[in-house]
Amino acid sequence: MIIIGEKINGSIPSMAKAIAEKNEEHIKNIAVAQANAGATFIDVCASVEPDKEVATLKWLIDLVQSVTDVPIAVDSPDPKVIAEALPFCKKPGLVNSISGDKVAGTDKDKIDFLLPIIADTKWEVIALLNGGTGIPKSAEDRLKVFDLLMAKAKEYKIAPSRFHIDPIIEALATIDEGGIGMVVEVMQEIKRREPTIHITGAVSNISFNLPGRKLVNQAFAVLAMNAGLDSAIFDPLNKDLLGMIYATEALLGNDEYCMEYIQGFRQGLYPAAPPAKK
Amino acid sequence: MIIIGEKINGSIPSMAKAIAEKNEEHIKNIAVAQANAGATFIDVCASVEPDKEVATLKWLIDLVQSVTDVPIAVDSPDPKVIAEALPFCKKPGLVNSISGDKVAGTDKDKIDFLLPIIADTKWEVIALLNGGTGIPKSAEDRLKVFDLLMAKAKEYKIAPSRFHIDPIIEALATIDEGGIGMVVEVMQEIKRREPTIHITGAVSNISFNLPGRKLVNQAFAVLAMNAGLDSAIFDPLNKDLLGMIYATEALLGNDEYCMEYIQGFRQGLYPAAPPAKK
């Protein structure tokens, strides 16, 4: 499982406070904690006023790189900011994210703006299946965006394995019928069309507006992994969710003799649970 | 989800003590608690010396029936004991269980011994896919036992919907490769062949000999439900597992607008979890 550690994000109140107060120790500690919990990428999102965003990203990226070698996921709603921030990174990481949305002040969408920039690099990229006219409602329409995206990938000679496709995880509470059937279908079909591609998503979106969100997030993570999700942005310090992910890898046959699951348990990555009764 | 409450079982040390001490209050309390947590059946297993088993079962069944109308799952390794205990029940419940194992002192297996007894009743039955020569190793061999069982069901005119097929859940730690792929295949194929049938199992078997069993049990329950499991023997007072099951029903589209999930939360059936961060 590719873990994109989500904690260095100015939209989280405690992180906004640390950014505002220039609390370098806090940010470095969070970076190290996520690296120790097995993060594959450390997401860095400033979430400050536009005129401060590039400088804040540089400061945050430098801080993270001063304490860990884990590559950065450069996270901004503005593709121009992403383009400016990529050179701050010592090694290729993950662009978060592209979609069919237009880039303000240009005639390009985020796909055509950012793919040429990373084409001849080793950067990976999160691509949302949003064609630029809002979130497509059907599996068919999301897969059309996917096909378009793969055509662009071919054009720019970017291997599918560098893409993390986000099929767009919506709140279960707002789905009329069929539960997560549609998004599962999208995941399975993408994996069928491009076996080397990664499938990612914001797992916790699923539980928006429901009580006991933790339960719904955990059960969803298991079902999504079963459908092909192999990358996700979440808090790796959430021991329950991390434990569920390791357990699922073992159940799905991706962890011979449960060695990684058992090792994670020994390292204290999950909550210490008593043996189940009977 | 059909919940078979597992707590009144003499193989659980605290229950063995209650049985030995004739602690009627304890047993009645456990029966009521399981009923309140939504048990569809209350399993009753004496697990005492053979010469005391029928009398102990009668005493336990009478106690349960004195406090709840939830039907009984009559649980014994000895089909003769089950046959003797069925008349103690005020209404049809669940026979736990039959298999291809031979019945001592007869030339019959458990299938041929018990199916005629319940043929003209409304009793349901748990059937293990064990053909009488140990646990079949391949999906193909388990499905052969299933086909044989369905032939017998036809012979005795018992509708498939009265069967809870236990595909036999083995410990993940002992599986060489492929994780739970084989048992998932068996579940899916059974549901394909007989859509009205129930699929059941002892969920907690999966985590035998692993640390953090709770995590593995929960993740497995989600994956098994996705494969067709709609019945299970477990402790309904285990709030984490029960919550995971309700969440999964909603995710799989079996709970319109998450109404049952939300109601269970209001009733306090699951752990009170804080909203997930971010």
Side-chain angles (χ1 to χ4, degrees), chain B residues 98-100 127-132 134-136 139 141-147 149 165-168 186-187 190:
Chain B
I98 62 172
S99 70
L128 277 78
L129 296 189
N130 165 359
I135 299 174
D141 286 346
R142 291 191 193 186
L143 289 165
K144 274 184 198 160
V145 179
F146 175 71
D147 288 340
L149 192 69
I165 304 296
D166 184 336
I168 309 177
V186 173
M187 290 183 189
I190 287 172

Side-chain angles (χ1 to χ4, degrees), chain A residues 179-180 211-212 218 226 251 261 265, chain B residues 179-180 211-212 226 244 251 261 265:
Chain A
I180 60 167
Q218 288 178 28
N226 186 54
L251 289 162
Y261 171 76
F265 193 82
Chain B
I180 60 167
N226 186 56
M244 196 64 65
L251 289 162
Y261 172 76
F265 193 81

Side-chain angles (χ1 to χ4, degrees), chain A residues 6-7 9 11-12 75 172-181 204 206-207 209-220 222-223 226 233 235 238-240 243-244 247-248 250-254 256-258 261-262 265 270-271 273-278, chain B residues 6-7 9 11-12 75 172-181 204 206-207 209-220 222-223 226 233 235 238-240 243-244 247-248 250-254 256-258 261-262 265 270-271 273-278:
Chain A
E6 72 179 7
K7 290 183 75 77
N9 189 317
S11 71
I12 300 170
D75 185 353
L172 178 64
T174 65
I175 298 172
D176 277 358
E177 59 180 52
I180 60 167
S204 63
I206 196 76
S207 60
N209 249 347
L210 284 177
R213 293 187 66 168
K214 200 172 116 172
L215 285 167
V216 180
N217 293 345
Q218 288 178 28
F220 176 69
V222 176
L223 292 170
N226 186 54
I233 183 155
D235 174 5
N238 175 338
K239 291 189 170 194
D240 290 303
M244 195 66 64
T248 302
L251 289 162
L252 293 178
N254 302 328
E256 210 175 2
Y257 297 109
C258 309
Y261 171 76
I262 293 168
F265 193 82
Y270 338 131
K277 285 175 201 159
K278 181 180 165 177
Chain B
E6 73 178 7
K7 291 185 73 79
N9 189 317
S11 71
I12 300 170
D75 185 353
L172 178 63
T174 64
I175 297 172
D176 276 356
E177 60 180 51
I180 60 167
S204 63
I206 196 74
S207 61
N209 249 348
L210 284 177
R213 294 187 64 168
K214 202 171 114 171
L215 285 168
V216 181
N217 293 345
Q218 288 178 28
F220 176 69
V222 176
L223 292 169
N226 186 56
I233 185 155
D235 174 5
N238 176 338
K239 291 188 170 197
D240 291 302
M244 196 64 65
T248 302
L251 289 162
L252 293 178
N254 302 328
E256 210 175 359
Y257 296 109
C258 310
Y261 172 76
I262 293 168
F265 193 81
Y270 339 132
K277 283 176 205 162
K278 187 185 164 175

Side-chain angles (χ1 to χ4, degrees), chain B residues 48-56 81:
Chain B
V48 294
E49 299 92 280
D51 61 323
K52 290 184 187 167
E53 193 178 1
V54 171
T56 306
V81 169

